[in-house]
């Protein structure tokens, strides 16, 4: 899944994950990083004390059971030897815990870091820490001595954190490989349990051939674990992964999956290809024999040519040359037969002994016969050589030509045979490739069929397992009214919602070019068929919900900030030039509205927490009495079962051996050995958990969601009513109308912020309840500790009987109180959780209230300066610059979102003009003089802009003008207010916001004052005056419209 050939230790012979391994994305330059965190000195000291108690007998010697790897003493001895490989049994027996701690004091409580650029080097360095070499291979060095054992670190490791650059983890997912929640190492078991509480997903991995046959989805997890998963609300977090899908038998799968009809043509084609392959191999064998025969002929001819060429030289030199002696037929036959007999001898090795012996005798006799025939032939040849006539030059030449022609013919025949052999080999390769293709297609068909069947079967088994536990809890909760025909949930939907992936790691790695030494994996033609890419995508998507929630909350806060800054920057602080009396009256109205808003928000918060308490009371607290009584009633029987006689046929049904009983007491009731995990504290708590589990799940998976939804529905109603009242008042008196739309959108942003708050609190409640529902057992453990400690030190004749009696007596005395204490502790923590939720909700809603108060007061609160005055020039400049920056934010977000951003020449002109204008001291003085001389306007026409939430406006249509400001709302009605100074009509706007704090007007005026011009306009020395004149003309026209429809105060 991480797209690495080897990263964490794997082994085809044994399990090798001995420590908790956390794998997350690597943001450093080095591609492979690891952090190995070791347990503390105290943790190893506690572990050693328990290991010594298991290993040493009553006399202080190492127990003889240490050689049995499945015994408690054997497990303890193996773990000690892993850390201290050089210590003998005698050394261990004589050592003290302090001395053994000193030997590893430089390791305990520390961390080791590994950083590598090469994955293989990283793997080898990591393996020495993570891998557990439980089985000795007995390897010896070159001198024949056993290799010296090195210290293993896995017993001392608390957790290993790996950081790799894997795309599957790039979205923030963290994969944790657990050796088991019942690890014998207490520190690691605590870490594993902690991860189980934190994890948002649980992946169950099992080989596909075991996942279905063993009902792994239904029975792989224990009943107590499934009950814990139910209380955590974690059924929806389960993902099932079937591995090793490439391990399949085609014939078995065909029969099991009913694929006979589909696969029959393939089998027939395979039979045809097999017959053709057999025929081709036969032809190939015959051709090779003929080729060898022509090789022999060519070699024989070469020898004769050499002889006759020598004779030719003798004749030319005038010497007497006699014909050479011809090789007897027996010699030729012997040369050929020797080659054949060597081949036949190999075949005869597989036959019976009698037959082999007779063949051997026959061969030897035939050799003697050949030898005698050869001798007689030689004698005949010698006799005949005396009658031979000398050779002439013509005879020698003719003989040489004959031999050369024979050699040429043999060569041609061999060439033809070689071509035929090559053709047959190509044909044979094509047949083998066709066979491989058909086998791969059949494998793919079987793998696909088994995957589909397995997915359906696993999903149904998973739903059946949940149904069983639901019915069990429902029956124990209310046996009289229990109806097995009534489903607690939609189990068909539960089955469909379980993600199941049938993956082939070998197939994926091979298709990715890895595992080059391994043969091809049939049945896969693309990586998608291995389902590893689908699992990677599933891993990436796991963090989607959390990331979306975080991003939404962040954007809402940024949006709120931008809107608040816009409201502030668009106001000139004059409060629409209201009189002191008008300001006071509007301030009182706004204050009254704010007080009402605060009261209603507080009431919504208290209502939410009150409903939470009621749900806890009705579904959990009211069931405590029955749950406590059930646990107290069953506790004595459960305790007696621990000391019952051992049932060797069914170990789960019977009692425990003395050694196991004592080992459990030494570990405060929790121990894991070859028989599996033992948790006495959980066993005592289980009857109580059964009666609480149903109500617990109901509260935290359904009712909490309902309560939070009620809160998120009530808050928008409260905020909208508040805004409606303020808007009606503003329209009546004619103040702040230009910013009402912005305020309306700001209210929507605050609604989203409060919704995010509710969602965040729901997540917090879900996470907190996972911690709290595990608090039943620790209280029981604390109550049982005195009995564990007493039994752990008990020794001597009859000690086992005394231990069992003491344990039962202790439970009998404490059962009426310890379960009630457990329930009370959980209730206390749940109520504390609700109080914390109430405090956080109150704090966050108060923060939102303060922001709302600030926004509305900045627009409608009456202003910061006296009537007829203006805010200082520096403040106006800051507001203008802030407004300009905010107007450019939309372009930035468009770029982030990948939308096209049109850069206009006006933008550059505006920036250059603004800079030159503010650098010009004379222009600054002129603007300041105009600000002081200007009188407050009385009748001003306002063209309110739709200055809504800027981030939601980032759509594909642009959402605003090119200069970054938003389009004006033409539907907004024009409003007029009266002022005591009619001379203010047409006063030049020098860059400050309008009297009504209209953001659109402020933006336009600011742009004009800073020298921004439309296309076709130029900039001159007296450009400011020209622009001001245009603005005055527009204001004069607006005044006429406003005077036509006055509105009294």
């Amino acid at each position: 899944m991480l797209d690495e050939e080897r990263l964490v230790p794997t082994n085809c012979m044994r399990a090798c994950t001995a420590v908790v391994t956390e794998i997350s994305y690597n943001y450093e330059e080095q591609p492979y990083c690891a952090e190995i965190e070791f347990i503390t000195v105290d943790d190893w000291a506690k572990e050693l004390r328990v290991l010594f108690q298991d290993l040493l007998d009553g006399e202080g010697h190492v127990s003889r059971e240490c050689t049995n790897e499945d015994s408690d003493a054997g497990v303890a001895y193996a773990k000690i030897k892993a850390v201290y490989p050089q210590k003998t049994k005698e050394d261990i027996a004589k050592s003290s815990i302090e001395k053994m701690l000193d030997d590893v004091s430089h390791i305990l409580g520390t961390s080791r870091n590994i950083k590598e650029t090469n994955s293989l080097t990283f793997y080898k360095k990591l393996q020495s820490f993570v891998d557990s070499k439980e089985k000795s291979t007995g390897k010896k060095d070159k001198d024949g001595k056993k290799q010296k054992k090195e210290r293993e670190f896995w017993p001392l490791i608390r957790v290993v954190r790996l950081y790799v650059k894997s795309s599957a983890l790039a979205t923030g997912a963290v994969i944790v490989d657990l050796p088991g929640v019942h690890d014998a190492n207490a520190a690691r078991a605590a870490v594993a349990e902690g991860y189980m509480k934190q994890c948002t997903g649980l992946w169950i991995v099992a080989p596909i051939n075991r996942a279905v046959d063993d009902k792994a989805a239904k029975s792989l997890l224990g009943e107590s674990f499934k009950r814990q998963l139910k209380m955590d609300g974690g059924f929806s977090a389960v993902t099932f992964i079937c591995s090793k899908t490439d391990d399949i038998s085609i014939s078995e799968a065909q029969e099991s999956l009913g694929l006979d009809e589909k696969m029959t043509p393939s089998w027939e084609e395979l039979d045809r290809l097999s017959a053709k392959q057999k025929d081709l191999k036969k032809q190939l064998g015959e051709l090779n024999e003929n080729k060898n025969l022509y090789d022999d002929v060519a070699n024989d001819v070469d020898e004769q040519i050499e002889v006759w060429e020598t004779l030719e030289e003798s004749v030319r030199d005038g010497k007497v040359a006699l014909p050479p002696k011809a090789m007897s037929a027996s010699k030729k036959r012997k040369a050929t037969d020797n080659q054949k007999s060597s081949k036949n001898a190999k075949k005869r090795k597989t036959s019976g002994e009698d037959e082999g012996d007779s063949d051997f005798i026959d061969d030897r006799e035939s050799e003697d016969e050949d030898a005698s025939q050869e001798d007689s032939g030689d004698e005949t040849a010698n006799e005949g050589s005396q009658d031979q006539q000398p050779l002439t030059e013509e005879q020698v030449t003719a003989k040489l030509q004959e031999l050369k022609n024979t050699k040429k013919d043999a060569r041609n025949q061999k060439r033809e045979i070689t071509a035929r052999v090559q053709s047959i080999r190509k044909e044979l390769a094509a047949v083998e490739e066709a066979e491989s293709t058909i086998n791969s297609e059949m494998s793919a068909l079987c793998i696909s069929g088994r995957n589909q069947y397995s997915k359906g079967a696993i999903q149904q088994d998973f739903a059946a397992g949940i149904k069983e536990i639901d019915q069990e809890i429902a029956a124990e909760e209310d046996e009289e009214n229990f109806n097995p025909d009534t489903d607690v949930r939609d189990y068909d939907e539960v089955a469909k919602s379980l993600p199941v992936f049938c993956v082939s790691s070998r197939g994926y790695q091979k298709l990715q070019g890895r595992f080059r030494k391994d043969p091809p994996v049939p049945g896969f033609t693309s990586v998608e068929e291995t389902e590893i890419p689908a699992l990677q995508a599933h891993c990436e998507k796991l963090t989607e919900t959390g990331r979306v929630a975080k991003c939404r909350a962040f954007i809402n806060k940024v949006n709120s900030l931008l809107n608040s800054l816009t409201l502030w920057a668009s106001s000139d602080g004059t409060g629409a030039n209201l009189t002191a009396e008008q300001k006071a009256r509007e301030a009182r109205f706004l204050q009254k509205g704010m007080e009402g808003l605060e009261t209603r928000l507080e009431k919504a918060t208290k209502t939410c927490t009150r409903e939470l308490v009621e749900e806890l009371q009705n579904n959990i607290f009211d069931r405590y009495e029955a749950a406590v009584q059930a646990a107290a009633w069953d506790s004595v029987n459960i305790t007696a079962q621990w000391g019952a006689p051992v049932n060797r046929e069914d170990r789960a049904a019977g009692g425990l051996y003395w050694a196991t009983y004592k080992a459990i007491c030494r570990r405060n009731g929790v121990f894991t050995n070859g028989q599996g995990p033992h948790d006495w504290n959980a066993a005592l708590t289980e009857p109580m958990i059964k009666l609480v589990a149903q109500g617990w799940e109901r509260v935290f998976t359904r009712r909490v969601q309902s309560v939070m939804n009620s809160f998120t529905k009530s808050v928008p109603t409260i905020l909208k009513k508040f805004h409606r009242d303020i808007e009606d008042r503003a329209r009546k008196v004619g103040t702040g109308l230009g910013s009402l739309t912005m305020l309306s959108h700001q209210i929507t942003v605050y609604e989203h912020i409060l919704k995010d708050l509710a969602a965040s609190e729901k997540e917090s409640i879900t996470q907190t309840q996972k911690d709290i529902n595990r608090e039943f057992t620790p209280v029981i453990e604390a109550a049982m500790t005195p009995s564990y400690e007493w039994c752990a030190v008990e020794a001597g004749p009859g000690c086992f009987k005394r231990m069992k009696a003491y344990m039962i007596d202790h439970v009998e005395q404490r059962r009426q109180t310890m379960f009630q204490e457990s329930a009370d502790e959980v209730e206390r923590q749940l109520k504390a959780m609700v109080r914390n939720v109430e405090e956080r909700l109150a704090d966050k809603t108060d923060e939102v209230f303060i922001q709302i108060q600030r926004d509305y007061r900045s627009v409608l609160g009456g202003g910061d300066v006296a009537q007829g005055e203006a805010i200082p020039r520096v403040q106006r400049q800051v507001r203008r610059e802030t407004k300009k920056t905010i107007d450019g934010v939309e372009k930035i977000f468009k770029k982030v979102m990948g939308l096209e951003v049109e850069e206009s020449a006006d933008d550059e002109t505006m920036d250059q003009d603004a800079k030159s204008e503010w650098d010009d001291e004379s222009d600054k003085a002129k603007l300041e003089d105009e600000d002081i001389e200007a009188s407050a306007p009385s009748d001003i026409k306002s063209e309110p802009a739709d200055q809504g939430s800027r981030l939601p406006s980032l759509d594909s249509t642009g959402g605003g003008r090119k200069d970054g400001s938003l389009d004006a709302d033409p539907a907004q009605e024009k409003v007029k207010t009266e002022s005591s100074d009619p001379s203010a009509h047409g006063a030049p706007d020098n860059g400050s916001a309008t009297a009504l704090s209209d953001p659109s007007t402020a933006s336009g005026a600011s742009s004009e004052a800073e020298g921004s011009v439309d296309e076709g306009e130029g900039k001159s020395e007296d450009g400011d005056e020209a622009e001001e004149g245009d603005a005055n003309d527009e204001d004069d026209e607006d005044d006429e419209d406003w005077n036509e429809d006055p509105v009294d105060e």
Side-chain angles (χ1 to χ4, degrees), residues 278-294 417 420-421 424:
K278 185 177 180 181
D279 181 60
L280 290 173
K281 287 182 177 180
K282 182 179 179 183
Q283 293 181 37
L284 191 62
E286 293 175 352
L287 288 172
N288 284 329
E289 288 184 1
N290 292 336
K291 181 181 176 181
N292 293 333
L293 180 61
Y294 282 110
I417 292 175
R420 178 60 181 157
V421 167
I424 291 178

PDB file of all heavy atoms in Angstrom, residues 278-294 417 420-421 424:
ATOM      1  N   LYS A 278       3.068 -31.489 -27.246  1.00  0.00           N
ATOM      2  CA  LYS A 278       3.697 -32.809 -27.186  1.00  0.00           C
ATOM      3  C   LYS A 278       4.203 -33.236 -28.562  1.00  0.00           C
ATOM      4  O   LYS A 278       5.319 -33.764 -28.699  1.00  0.00           O
ATOM      5  CB  LYS A 278       2.688 -33.820 -26.642  1.00  0.00           C
ATOM      6  CG  LYS A 278       3.254 -35.201 -26.424  1.00  0.00           C
ATOM      7  CD  LYS A 278       2.200 -36.114 -25.813  1.00  0.00           C
ATOM      8  CE  LYS A 278       2.768 -37.507 -25.584  1.00  0.00           C
ATOM      9  NZ  LYS A 278       1.740 -38.413 -25.017  1.00  0.00           N
ATOM     10  N   ASP A 279       3.388 -32.993 -29.610  1.00  0.00           N
ATOM     11  CA  ASP A 279       3.779 -33.352 -30.963  1.00  0.00           C
ATOM     12  C   ASP A 279       4.990 -32.534 -31.415  1.00  0.00           C
ATOM     13  O   ASP A 279       5.917 -33.064 -32.036  1.00  0.00           O
ATOM     14  CB  ASP A 279       2.596 -33.122 -31.902  1.00  0.00           C
ATOM     15  CG  ASP A 279       2.917 -33.499 -33.340  1.00  0.00           C
ATOM     16  OD1 ASP A 279       3.241 -34.671 -33.582  1.00  0.00           O
ATOM     17  OD2 ASP A 279       2.845 -32.593 -34.207  1.00  0.00           O
ATOM     18  N   LEU A 280       4.979 -31.253 -31.112  1.00  0.00           N
ATOM     19  CA  LEU A 280       6.092 -30.401 -31.497  1.00  0.00           C
ATOM     20  C   LEU A 280       7.382 -30.826 -30.805  1.00  0.00           C
ATOM     21  O   LEU A 280       8.457 -30.815 -31.409  1.00  0.00           O
ATOM     22  CB  LEU A 280       5.781 -28.938 -31.185  1.00  0.00           C
ATOM     23  CG  LEU A 280       4.705 -28.280 -32.059  1.00  0.00           C
ATOM     24  CD1 LEU A 280       4.377 -26.887 -31.520  1.00  0.00           C
ATOM     25  CD2 LEU A 280       5.170 -28.190 -33.509  1.00  0.00           C
ATOM     26  N   LYS A 281       7.281 -31.190 -29.547  1.00  0.00           N
ATOM     27  CA  LYS A 281       8.477 -31.650 -28.828  1.00  0.00           C
ATOM     28  C   LYS A 281       9.006 -32.946 -29.428  1.00  0.00           C
ATOM     29  O   LYS A 281      10.231 -33.162 -29.501  1.00  0.00           O
ATOM     30  CB  LYS A 281       8.154 -31.838 -27.353  1.00  0.00           C
ATOM     31  CG  LYS A 281       7.990 -30.535 -26.592  1.00  0.00           C
ATOM     32  CD  LYS A 281       7.728 -30.782 -25.120  1.00  0.00           C
ATOM     33  CE  LYS A 281       7.653 -29.451 -24.359  1.00  0.00           C
ATOM     34  NZ  LYS A 281       7.386 -29.663 -22.917  1.00  0.00           N
ATOM     35  N   LYS A 282       8.070 -33.819 -29.883  1.00  0.00           N
ATOM     36  CA  LYS A 282       8.498 -35.066 -30.520  1.00  0.00           C
ATOM     37  C   LYS A 282       9.234 -34.775 -31.823  1.00  0.00           C
ATOM     38  O   LYS A 282      10.307 -35.342 -32.089  1.00  0.00           O
ATOM     39  CB  LYS A 282       7.287 -35.948 -30.786  1.00  0.00           C
ATOM     40  CG  LYS A 282       7.629 -37.289 -31.401  1.00  0.00           C
ATOM     41  CD  LYS A 282       6.373 -38.131 -31.608  1.00  0.00           C
ATOM     42  CE  LYS A 282       6.722 -39.477 -32.265  1.00  0.00           C
ATOM     43  NZ  LYS A 282       5.496 -40.279 -32.527  1.00  0.00           N
ATOM     44  N   GLN A 283       8.651 -33.877 -32.655  1.00  0.00           N
ATOM     45  CA  GLN A 283       9.321 -33.496 -33.897  1.00  0.00           C
ATOM     46  C   GLN A 283      10.684 -32.869 -33.616  1.00  0.00           C
ATOM     47  O   GLN A 283      11.669 -33.143 -34.332  1.00  0.00           O
ATOM     48  CB  GLN A 283       8.444 -32.498 -34.664  1.00  0.00           C
ATOM     49  CG  GLN A 283       7.140 -33.069 -35.186  1.00  0.00           C
ATOM     50  CD  GLN A 283       6.350 -32.017 -35.955  1.00  0.00           C
ATOM     51  OE1 GLN A 283       6.922 -31.197 -36.660  1.00  0.00           O
ATOM     52  NE2 GLN A 283       5.028 -32.065 -35.825  1.00  0.00           N
ATOM     53  N   LEU A 284      10.727 -32.053 -32.602  1.00  0.00           N
ATOM     54  CA  LEU A 284      11.978 -31.394 -32.249  1.00  0.00           C
ATOM     55  C   LEU A 284      13.034 -32.417 -31.869  1.00  0.00           C
ATOM     56  O   LEU A 284      14.213 -32.308 -32.240  1.00  0.00           O
ATOM     57  CB  LEU A 284      11.736 -30.408 -31.111  1.00  0.00           C
ATOM     58  CG  LEU A 284      12.873 -29.444 -30.785  1.00  0.00           C
ATOM     59  CD1 LEU A 284      13.162 -28.544 -31.979  1.00  0.00           C
ATOM     60  CD2 LEU A 284      12.513 -28.603 -29.571  1.00  0.00           C
ATOM     61  N   GLY A 285      12.615 -33.462 -31.140  1.00  0.00           N
ATOM     62  CA  GLY A 285      13.559 -34.504 -30.757  1.00  0.00           C
ATOM     63  C   GLY A 285      14.102 -35.261 -31.958  1.00  0.00           C
ATOM     64  O   GLY A 285      15.311 -35.551 -32.050  1.00  0.00           O
ATOM     65  N   GLU A 286      13.227 -35.606 -32.924  1.00  0.00           N
ATOM     66  CA  GLU A 286      13.655 -36.326 -34.116  1.00  0.00           C
ATOM     67  C   GLU A 286      14.604 -35.479 -34.956  1.00  0.00           C
ATOM     68  O   GLU A 286      15.613 -35.964 -35.477  1.00  0.00           O
ATOM     69  CB  GLU A 286      12.427 -36.725 -34.937  1.00  0.00           C
ATOM     70  CG  GLU A 286      11.554 -37.767 -34.245  1.00  0.00           C
ATOM     71  CD  GLU A 286      10.284 -38.051 -35.027  1.00  0.00           C
ATOM     72  OE1 GLU A 286      10.034 -37.322 -36.019  1.00  0.00           O
ATOM     73  OE2 GLU A 286       9.543 -38.970 -34.640  1.00  0.00           O
ATOM     74  N   LEU A 287      14.255 -34.202 -35.086  1.00  0.00           N
ATOM     75  CA  LEU A 287      15.123 -33.316 -35.867  1.00  0.00           C
ATOM     76  C   LEU A 287      16.498 -33.177 -35.224  1.00  0.00           C
ATOM     77  O   LEU A 287      17.524 -33.124 -35.916  1.00  0.00           O
ATOM     78  CB  LEU A 287      14.464 -31.948 -36.013  1.00  0.00           C
ATOM     79  CG  LEU A 287      13.250 -31.892 -36.950  1.00  0.00           C
ATOM     80  CD1 LEU A 287      12.573 -30.527 -36.858  1.00  0.00           C
ATOM     81  CD2 LEU A 287      13.657 -32.179 -38.397  1.00  0.00           C
ATOM     82  N   ASN A 288      16.536 -33.100 -33.926  1.00  0.00           N
ATOM     83  CA  ASN A 288      17.823 -32.996 -33.234  1.00  0.00           C
ATOM     84  C   ASN A 288      18.657 -34.255 -33.451  1.00  0.00           C
ATOM     85  O   ASN A 288      19.893 -34.190 -33.597  1.00  0.00           O
ATOM     86  CB  ASN A 288      17.600 -32.747 -31.746  1.00  0.00           C
ATOM     87  CG  ASN A 288      17.188 -31.310 -31.458  1.00  0.00           C
ATOM     88  OD1 ASN A 288      17.600 -30.399 -32.178  1.00  0.00           O
ATOM     89  ND2 ASN A 288      16.403 -31.111 -30.420  1.00  0.00           N
ATOM     90  N   GLU A 289      18.001 -35.452 -33.473  1.00  0.00           N
ATOM     91  CA  GLU A 289      18.740 -36.686 -33.738  1.00  0.00           C
ATOM     92  C   GLU A 289      19.303 -36.680 -35.158  1.00  0.00           C
ATOM     93  O   GLU A 289      20.461 -37.059 -35.388  1.00  0.00           O
ATOM     94  CB  GLU A 289      17.817 -37.887 -33.530  1.00  0.00           C
ATOM     95  CG  GLU A 289      17.496 -38.159 -32.067  1.00  0.00           C
ATOM     96  CD  GLU A 289      16.646 -39.413 -31.906  1.00  0.00           C
ATOM     97  OE1 GLU A 289      16.348 -40.059 -32.928  1.00  0.00           O
ATOM     98  OE2 GLU A 289      16.289 -39.748 -30.755  1.00  0.00           O
ATOM     99  N   ASN A 290      18.463 -36.252 -36.120  1.00  0.00           N
ATOM    100  CA  ASN A 290      18.962 -36.188 -37.507  1.00  0.00           C
ATOM    101  C   ASN A 290      20.095 -35.183 -37.636  1.00  0.00           C
ATOM    102  O   ASN A 290      21.072 -35.400 -38.375  1.00  0.00           O
ATOM    103  CB  ASN A 290      17.830 -35.799 -38.453  1.00  0.00           C
ATOM    104  CG  ASN A 290      16.781 -36.903 -38.565  1.00  0.00           C
ATOM    105  OD1 ASN A 290      17.079 -38.077 -38.325  1.00  0.00           O
ATOM    106  ND2 ASN A 290      15.556 -36.531 -38.915  1.00  0.00           N
ATOM    107  N   LYS A 291      19.967 -34.098 -36.922  1.00  0.00           N
ATOM    108  CA  LYS A 291      21.024 -33.081 -36.959  1.00  0.00           C
ATOM    109  C   LYS A 291      22.323 -33.649 -36.410  1.00  0.00           C
ATOM    110  O   LYS A 291      23.416 -33.444 -36.981  1.00  0.00           O
ATOM    111  CB  LYS A 291      20.578 -31.865 -36.143  1.00  0.00           C
ATOM    112  CG  LYS A 291      21.585 -30.731 -36.137  1.00  0.00           C
ATOM    113  CD  LYS A 291      21.067 -29.581 -35.291  1.00  0.00           C
ATOM    114  CE  LYS A 291      22.114 -28.476 -35.204  1.00  0.00           C
ATOM    115  NZ  LYS A 291      21.645 -27.354 -34.353  1.00  0.00           N
ATOM    116  N   ASN A 292      22.226 -34.417 -35.340  1.00  0.00           N
ATOM    117  CA  ASN A 292      23.427 -35.045 -34.772  1.00  0.00           C
ATOM    118  C   ASN A 292      24.034 -36.056 -35.746  1.00  0.00           C
ATOM    119  O   ASN A 292      25.260 -36.201 -35.841  1.00  0.00           O
ATOM    120  CB  ASN A 292      23.082 -35.729 -33.455  1.00  0.00           C
ATOM    121  CG  ASN A 292      22.703 -34.736 -32.372  1.00  0.00           C
ATOM    122  OD1 ASN A 292      23.145 -33.575 -32.407  1.00  0.00           O
ATOM    123  ND2 ASN A 292      21.892 -35.160 -31.405  1.00  0.00           N
ATOM    124  N   LEU A 293      23.137 -36.757 -36.480  1.00  0.00           N
ATOM    125  CA  LEU A 293      23.617 -37.735 -37.448  1.00  0.00           C
ATOM    126  C   LEU A 293      24.411 -37.058 -38.562  1.00  0.00           C
ATOM    127  O   LEU A 293      25.495 -37.519 -38.940  1.00  0.00           O
ATOM    128  CB  LEU A 293      22.434 -38.510 -38.024  1.00  0.00           C
ATOM    129  CG  LEU A 293      22.777 -39.583 -39.076  1.00  0.00           C
ATOM    130  CD1 LEU A 293      23.682 -40.653 -38.464  1.00  0.00           C
ATOM    131  CD2 LEU A 293      21.500 -40.231 -39.624  1.00  0.00           C
ATOM    132  N   TYR A 294      23.889 -35.937 -39.061  1.00  0.00           N
ATOM    133  CA  TYR A 294      24.611 -35.214 -40.104  1.00  0.00           C
ATOM    134  C   TYR A 294      25.894 -34.593 -39.564  1.00  0.00           C
ATOM    135  O   TYR A 294      26.880 -34.444 -40.301  1.00  0.00           O
ATOM    136  CB  TYR A 294      23.716 -34.132 -40.709  1.00  0.00           C
ATOM    137  CG  TYR A 294      22.702 -34.695 -41.699  1.00  0.00           C
ATOM    138  CD1 TYR A 294      21.351 -34.731 -41.395  1.00  0.00           C
ATOM    139  CD2 TYR A 294      23.121 -35.204 -42.935  1.00  0.00           C
ATOM    140  CE1 TYR A 294      20.431 -35.250 -42.281  1.00  0.00           C
ATOM    141  CE2 TYR A 294      22.207 -35.732 -43.835  1.00  0.00           C
ATOM    142  CZ  TYR A 294      20.860 -35.755 -43.506  1.00  0.00           C
ATOM    143  OH  TYR A 294      19.960 -36.279 -44.394  1.00  0.00           O
ATOM    144  N   ILE A 417      17.612 -28.620 -41.456  1.00  0.00           N
ATOM    145  CA  ILE A 417      17.109 -29.115 -40.169  1.00  0.00           C
ATOM    146  C   ILE A 417      17.151 -27.999 -39.122  1.00  0.00           C
ATOM    147  O   ILE A 417      16.218 -27.839 -38.323  1.00  0.00           O
ATOM    148  CB  ILE A 417      17.937 -30.333 -39.717  1.00  0.00           C
ATOM    149  CG1 ILE A 417      17.673 -31.530 -40.643  1.00  0.00           C
ATOM    150  CG2 ILE A 417      17.613 -30.693 -38.267  1.00  0.00           C
ATOM    151  CD1 ILE A 417      18.540 -32.731 -40.351  1.00  0.00           C
ATOM    152  N   ARG A 420      14.326 -25.712 -39.610  1.00  0.00           N
ATOM    153  CA  ARG A 420      13.086 -26.366 -39.166  1.00  0.00           C
ATOM    154  C   ARG A 420      13.008 -26.384 -37.637  1.00  0.00           C
ATOM    155  O   ARG A 420      11.941 -26.164 -37.055  1.00  0.00           O
ATOM    156  CB  ARG A 420      13.038 -27.787 -39.717  1.00  0.00           C
ATOM    157  CG  ARG A 420      11.832 -28.596 -39.295  1.00  0.00           C
ATOM    158  CD  ARG A 420      10.553 -27.967 -39.739  1.00  0.00           C
ATOM    159  NE  ARG A 420       9.401 -28.739 -39.312  1.00  0.00           N
ATOM    160  CZ  ARG A 420       8.186 -28.245 -39.171  1.00  0.00           C
ATOM    161  NH1 ARG A 420       7.966 -26.944 -39.410  1.00  0.00           N
ATOM    162  NH2 ARG A 420       7.188 -29.016 -38.801  1.00  0.00           N
ATOM    163  N   VAL A 421      14.136 -26.619 -36.973  1.00  0.00           N
ATOM    164  CA  VAL A 421      14.180 -26.616 -35.503  1.00  0.00           C
ATOM    165  C   VAL A 421      13.797 -25.244 -34.950  1.00  0.00           C
ATOM    166  O   VAL A 421      13.010 -25.119 -34.011  1.00  0.00           O
ATOM    167  CB  VAL A 421      15.565 -27.044 -34.995  1.00  0.00           C
ATOM    168  CG1 VAL A 421      15.720 -26.729 -33.505  1.00  0.00           C
ATOM    169  CG2 VAL A 421      15.790 -28.524 -35.232  1.00  0.00           C
ATOM    170  N   ILE A 424      10.096 -24.718 -35.339  1.00  0.00           N
ATOM    171  CA  ILE A 424       9.322 -25.493 -34.358  1.00  0.00           C
ATOM    172  C   ILE A 424       9.450 -24.874 -32.973  1.00  0.00           C
ATOM    173  O   ILE A 424       8.478 -24.831 -32.202  1.00  0.00           O
ATOM    174  CB  ILE A 424       9.785 -26.965 -34.356  1.00  0.00           C
ATOM    175  CG1 ILE A 424       9.360 -27.650 -35.683  1.00  0.00           C
ATOM    176  CG2 ILE A 424       9.208 -27.714 -33.167  1.00  0.00           C
ATOM    177  CD1 ILE A 424       9.801 -29.077 -35.803  1.00  0.00           C
TER     178      ILE A 424
END
